[in-house]
Amino acid sequence: MENFENGAESQMPAGENINFESRLDLRKLQDSIVAVKAELASVIVGQHKMVDQLLVAFLSNGHVLLEGVPGVAKTITAKLLARTLNIDFGRIQFTPDLMPSDILGTSVFDLKKSEFEFRKGPIFSNLILIDEINRAPAKTQAALFEVMEERQITIDGQSYPMDAPFLVIATQNPIEQEGTYRLPEAQLDRFLFKISIDYPKLDEEIAIIQREHNLQDHGKLDNIKTLLSAEDIKQYQSLVKQIIVEPHLLEYIAKIVVNTRENAFLYLGASPRASIAILNAAKGFAAIRGRDFVTPEDIKEAAIPVLQHRVIVTPEREMEGLTSTAIIKTILESVEIPR
């Protein structure tokens, strides 16, 4: 093909012109992803799937819900990712007494100017870590609806857009439910991924202990390099949108999502927003693997973290111990893979 592009076209009969579809140059993006993963791996042991999914979410301009028991590196991973990026980072600890104004900001009367002045809250940043999102009551959680979906907030009739890039990483503990407020479906639907973090394996546990012992008086984040700017991220996000997706793969995504609505084991299926989320995430998985086109494997890899928090298992099946993840895996096995 390279030889054809370099000269063979001139040998075509006069009047014939073949337009070759331009391919995307993903080398810089892939090099950046490898460098960021190397920095994270210097502190985080294992959790390769979680790291990949976090990076895909960033490239796809989507928010992430990290779910795992305390101590499995949810918070430190978000802080590490922020350290590798030359962008603003904010952390909000959700508590039962937290008010929407504590997140978004509030209007304060300026006596000198005799007018109200809006003071921005901690949500005005590029990467926001919300610790224990299910600790805050419903009205505080609802304050995130607009900013997560539209990248803006509205206070006193005035809209304030967020600076790009803007990504929310929220954490929650799936075990401890005392003093928590379940996230409503509308809130869950605004997260591109729900990433479930498991306990490390034995060899990984040993490596974690060894690294902690070797640190001595040094902090975990002391030697982390800043690799990407806000402009780099926006450029990569724009590049990922241009990843090629064949029509039959779009149909494959649609069949998977529609199957969740028709599945007898699910009380609630996924919405069209889930279809778009799978599409965007599949492009991200293709990009970090250096491909300018999506494959069925990319779609299958995106489907579980995209769908598992968007569907609800029927009470009968839930009592039997069946999970949304298991049902989604069954759906993926039943939907014919396009060839």
Side-chain angles (χ1 to χ4, degrees):
M1 178 64 73
E2 183 179 354
N3 292 335
F4 188 86
E5 290 177 346
N6 289 340
E9 185 177 355
S10 61
Q11 301 172 11
M12 295 294 294
E16 287 196 34
N17 184 23
I18 297 179
N19 294 319
F20 292 93
E21 191 170 6
S22 62
R23 312 301 283 181
L24 301 177
D25 186 358
L26 298 171
R27 287 172 296 181
K28 184 181 176 184
L29 182 152
Q30 196 174 22
D31 290 344
S32 297
I33 291 297
V34 170
V36 170
K37 289 171 71 171
E39 290 298 308
L40 297 180
S42 68
V43 175
I44 303 297
V45 177
Q47 306 291 7
H48 302 298
K49 181 182 289 188
M50 175 193 68
V51 171
D52 278 353
Q53 291 172 341
L54 266 178
L55 294 174
V56 166
F58 221 105
L59 292 174
S60 306
N61 198 25
H63 309 296
V64 174
L65 178 63
L66 289 178
E67 186 175 83
V69 297
V72 290
K74 299 188 299 295
T75 302
I76 191 65
T77 300
K79 293 172 70 175
L80 277 168
L81 179 61
R83 184 64 70 92
T84 64
L85 310 173
N86 187 22
I87 57 177
D88 292 335
F89 172 70
R91 177 176 177 178
I92 308 173
Q93 183 68 51
F94 268 31
T95 57
D97 60 347
L98 196 71
M99 300 295 290
S101 59
D102 297 327
I103 303 169
L104 306 180
T106 186
S107 295
V108 178
F109 189 73
D110 190 328
L111 292 174
K112 292 182 180 180
K113 299 179 180 178
S114 295
E115 62 183 21
F116 282 94
E117 178 184 349
F118 177 66
R119 294 187 179 176
K120 295 180 178 180
I123 197 68
F124 283 87
S125 193
N126 297 120
L127 177 58
I128 304 294
L129 170 62
I130 298 178
D131 250 345
E132 297 185 278
I133 189 172
N134 56 342
R135 289 283 175 194
K139 63 180 179 181
T140 304
Q141 292 180 12
L144 298 172
F145 281 14
E146 181 184 13
V147 71
M148 289 180 67
E149 180 64 21
E150 302 176 37
R151 263 72 176 185
Q152 68 170 29
I153 67 167
T154 304
I155 301 289
D156 297 331
Q158 179 69 39
S159 295
Y160 300 90
M162 312 303 292
D163 292 332
F166 177 74
L167 174 70
V168 171
I169 298 179
T171 69
Q172 71 174 11
N173 177 358
I175 305 301
E176 185 182 2
Q177 298 302 321
E178 185 177 349
T180 64
Y181 302 84
R182 185 180 179 275
L183 297 182
E185 277 65 45
Q187 176 80 65
L188 291 170
D189 202 36
R190 280 161 169 76
F191 287 102
L192 175 73
F193 284 160
K194 174 185 171 185
I195 303 175
S196 301
I197 307 176
D198 296 325
Y199 285 118
K201 299 175 182 176
L202 176 60
D203 57 335
E204 294 173 340
E205 190 92 19
I206 295 170
I208 291 169
I209 299 170
Q210 185 64 54
R211 284 191 185 182
E212 187 66 29
H213 173 66
N214 294 339
L215 278 175
Q216 302 296 331
D217 292 330
H218 301 290
K220 290 184 175 71
L221 307 180
D222 289 352
N223 298 319
I224 299 299
K225 300 174 185 175
T226 301
L227 300 171
L228 297 177
S229 66
E231 286 302 317
D232 290 330
I233 296 166
K234 287 188 284 186
Q235 179 185 348
Y236 292 159
Q237 288 177 343
S238 177
L239 194 60
V240 167
K241 291 178 182 177
Q242 302 173 48
I243 296 288
I244 300 164
V245 187
E246 297 294 338
H248 64 277
L249 292 180
L250 298 177
E251 184 179 348
Y252 181 50
I253 293 172
K255 286 180 177 179
I256 292 171
V257 174
V258 168
N259 204 303
T260 67
R261 302 169 197 163
E262 300 172 349
N263 192 287
F265 295 168
L266 293 177
Y267 173 73
L268 177 70
S271 69
R273 184 183 285 162
S275 300
I276 297 170
I278 293 176
L279 170 67
N280 293 333
K283 290 180 180 181
F285 279 114
I288 67 171
R289 287 162 175 74
R291 281 186 278 102
D292 64 352
F293 59 92
V294 167
T295 67
E297 286 68 31
D298 297 323
I299 293 171
K300 293 177 73 172
E301 191 166 6
I304 291 176
V306 165
L307 294 174
Q308 64 182 347
H309 59 292
R310 287 182 161 93
V311 299
I312 299 178
V313 182
T314 59
E316 299 81 9
R317 297 303 176 183
E318 194 171 22
M319 289 178 64
E320 295 173 3
L322 196 60
T323 64
S324 61
T325 303
I327 296 172
I328 294 165
K329 287 180 179 178
T330 303
I331 290 173
L332 293 174
E333 291 172 359
S334 65
V335 177
E336 183 179 358
I337 299 174
R339 301 297 179 186

